[in-house]
Amino acid sequence: MNMNELRIPIDQGIAGHVATTGEILNIKDAYSHPLFYSGVDHSTGFRTRNILCFPIKNEGHDSDVIGSFLMGDNEEIVGVAELCNKINGPCFSTYDEELAQAFSIYCGISLVHSLLYKKVADAQHRSKLSNELMMYHMKVNEDETARLIVDKIPEITSIHPDVSIFSFTPRVIYDDQTIPCCLAMFEDMGMINRWRIHKETLVKFVLMVKKGYRDPPYHNWYHAFSVSHFCYLLYKNLRIDQLLTDVELFALFVACLCHDLDHRGTNNAFQVSSKSVLAALYSSEGSVLERHHFAQAMCILNTEGCNIFENLNKRDYEQALDLFQEIILATDLAHHLSAVKDLETMAKEGYDKSNPRCHTLLTCLLMTSCDLSDQTKGWGTTKKNSGADLPGVLPSG
């Protein structure tokens, strides 16, 4: 039997009335009741004669455990049950109402226990994932950290004279120069002074981010470095700081560094199909990998001595984290495709610097541009990196 989902607003219909008032409805003749919706009968061929509809309440339990429709005195309505067509009798009786109330208590207990079990399972998944991450690659070399803290941040052009030119390929920079180059980009964009970032904090943060990347063929540290470098190029050549606020630019650059943290070399479809730990954690929210990348970035920021946002005031701090999450989630191309119509409208009407929606669209679009920037380099680089990304596409079927 095929079952189709039917959704109605919470304050409409018989179930809606019970959900919002907490009252039992004992309806002797369904078709004569003003709240009855006959469309379901017409679509299924079922004939509803009478209805007993009652609330399922969460009495005295932690409200964080289970969502509710209505807050009351130590009671929360967490669901609604509906009985149709009394078998042995013309309609439901007062005794049936008492039985329904007793049954609803067990329903509420079952719902709470079920959600508690899910919370425990989620916590176990998170613990397993965290342990796996820590065991794999999160220890930073203390000697390298000390050396970078002592050494002066180099001039960006000392790393390569063409580093600020669009045609420059950042992948030619040797691995041991990528961290100094990141520090130099932070310095050249004025972010260290603007946000009062301690050098030791910045060094530890960037090193932890580098260690947070695995080594799949494409979504590795060099990819993150290249994406961040393209953001730097946008700042140097297109002056995007004139279109974005300081907080937005800061969040964008940091998101570029962190956007693929702990990437497994596969895509979201593969994670869901394989029923991975990541899918168990995030599939209900969508953007499985992107949510994981953000979660890992937050783990680094919450590590002692690594929070480069720590000296922002309360308002900027909250805005930076919100933007940071939004920008990383925007690297899911499904997010970009859903925003295409809005982007087309903005392109037609023009960028309105006073419109927060324009800022959001532009920031996310710039993130997507940076993420795909390898394709703007020379043919040799483009061909090599496109081939490297194939293993992330093929496992999904």
Side-chain angles (χ1 to χ4, degrees):
M1 179 179 178
N2 294 326
M3 300 294 291
N4 295 321
E5 183 179 70
L6 176 66
R7 289 177 178 265
I8 58 173
I10 189 61
D11 59 348
Q12 294 184 16
I14 293 171
H17 177 81
V18 173
T20 53
T21 64
E23 301 173 355
I24 292 180
L25 277 184
N26 190 346
I27 300 172
K28 296 178 171 55
D29 182 3
Y31 278 79
S32 65
H33 197 280
L35 293 176
F36 179 68
Y37 174 66
S38 61
V40 176
D41 279 13
H42 296 322
S43 62
T44 61
F46 185 81
R47 176 71 180 183
T48 303
R49 292 182 286 104
N50 43 66
I51 297 172
L52 178 61
C53 189
F54 55 92
I56 299 172
K57 297 180 180 180
N58 172 32
E59 299 180 352
H61 294 287
D62 186 354
S63 60
D64 290 335
V65 173
I66 186 167
S68 64
F69 299 135
L70 180 69
M71 295 292 292
D73 295 334
N74 297 321
E75 292 183 344
E76 299 170 9
I77 298 174
V78 297
V80 170
E82 198 172 86
L83 303 177
C84 298
N85 294 354
K86 169 81 171 180
I87 295 177
N88 299 317
C91 58
F92 292 100
S93 63
T94 303
Y95 177 70
D96 292 327
E97 293 180 20
E98 295 172 353
L99 285 177
Q101 286 181 310
F103 175 69
S104 72
I105 295 174
Y106 289 101
C107 287
I109 293 172
S110 297
L111 282 171
V112 171
H113 286 180
S114 175
L115 290 177
L116 276 172
Y117 176 81
K118 186 178 186 303
K119 280 183 172 287
V120 171
D122 284 351
Q124 289 174 337
H125 285 310
R126 292 181 191 277
S127 177
K128 180 181 177 182
L129 195 61
S130 298
N131 290 337
E132 180 184 342
L133 186 66
M134 293 296 293
M135 292 292 291
Y136 187 77
H137 53 207
M138 291 304 286
K139 189 174 182 180
V140 174
N141 185 292
E142 293 181 2
D143 292 337
E144 184 181 12
T145 304
R147 178 178 57 79
L148 287 167
I149 292 172
V150 172
D151 289 349
K152 182 181 178 182
I153 296 176
E155 292 289 334
I156 189 73
T157 52
S158 70
I159 295 172
H160 196 287
D162 297 331
V163 73
S164 299
I165 300 174
F166 265 119
S167 59
F168 176 71
T169 301
R171 291 175 182 270
V172 303
I173 296 176
Y174 292 120
D175 181 71
D176 63 352
Q177 285 296 301
T178 56
I179 298 295
C181 188
C182 286
L183 301 179
M185 288 189 287
F186 271 104
E187 176 76 20
D188 196 41
M189 288 190 286
M191 292 180 178
I192 295 177
N193 289 332
R194 172 67 178 85
W195 302 111
R196 304 184 303 280
I197 306 173
H198 295 302
K199 185 179 178 183
E200 182 177 353
T201 301
L202 182 60
V203 167
K204 288 182 178 179
F205 172 78
V206 178
L207 282 172
M208 285 284 281
V209 169
K210 183 182 179 184
K211 285 289 185 181
Y213 280 88
R214 301 192 181 212
D215 196 28
Y218 183 75
H219 295 96
N220 48 41
W221 164 245
Y222 257 112
H223 169 64
F225 174 67
S226 299
V227 171
S228 304
H229 175 260
F230 196 80
C231 181
Y232 169 75
L233 290 178
L234 295 176
Y235 167 82
K236 294 294 287 186
N237 295 276
L238 300 184
R239 297 313 309 242
I240 58 174
D241 57 316
Q242 297 177 4
L243 300 174
L244 303 177
T245 65
D246 290 349
V247 175
E248 288 168 341
L249 182 59
F250 187 31
L252 174 62
F253 186 68
V254 178
C256 285
L257 277 172
C258 301
H259 78 283
D260 272 336
L261 273 168
D262 198 43
H263 202 293
R264 310 302 177 85
T266 57
N267 59 18
N268 286 331
F270 179 82
Q271 294 295 326
V272 174
S273 298
S274 64
K275 298 180 180 180
S276 68
V277 174
L278 297 185
L281 282 173
Y282 304 116
S283 61
S284 63
E285 301 173 279
S287 302
V288 171
L289 286 169
E290 290 74 22
R291 292 185 186 279
H292 177 58
H293 303 326
F294 172 71
Q296 298 314 300
M298 290 304 299
C299 284
I300 294 175
L301 286 170
N302 288 325
T303 301
E304 185 177 357
C306 292
N307 188 0
I308 60 174
F309 295 140
E310 63 184 349
N311 288 325
L312 276 65
N313 62 44
K314 185 176 185 294
R315 178 182 176 184
D316 288 341
Y317 189 89
E318 291 176 352
Q319 185 184 7
L321 289 185
D322 287 343
L323 286 166
F324 187 49
Q325 179 180 28
E326 188 170 30
I327 293 167
I328 290 179
L329 293 182
T331 60
D332 184 354
L333 281 179
H335 177 281
H336 172 73
L337 294 175
S338 68
V340 167
K341 287 187 177 180
D342 287 341
L343 289 168
E344 290 174 344
T345 300
M346 184 175 70
K348 182 179 179 180
E349 297 178 355
Y351 181 77
D352 182 358
K353 196 173 180 179
S354 65
N355 186 342
R357 178 58 177 162
C358 285
H359 280 253
T360 299
L361 288 171
L362 179 60
T363 308
C364 293
L365 180 62
L366 291 173
M367 179 68 244
T368 301
S369 302
C370 294
D371 199 13
L372 302 177
S373 61
D374 269 326
Q375 283 64 48
T376 68
K377 306 303 179 181
W379 170 243
T381 299
T382 301
K383 181 180 179 182
K384 179 181 178 181
N385 292 323
S386 296
D389 195 29
L390 281 176
V393 177
L394 295 177
S396 64

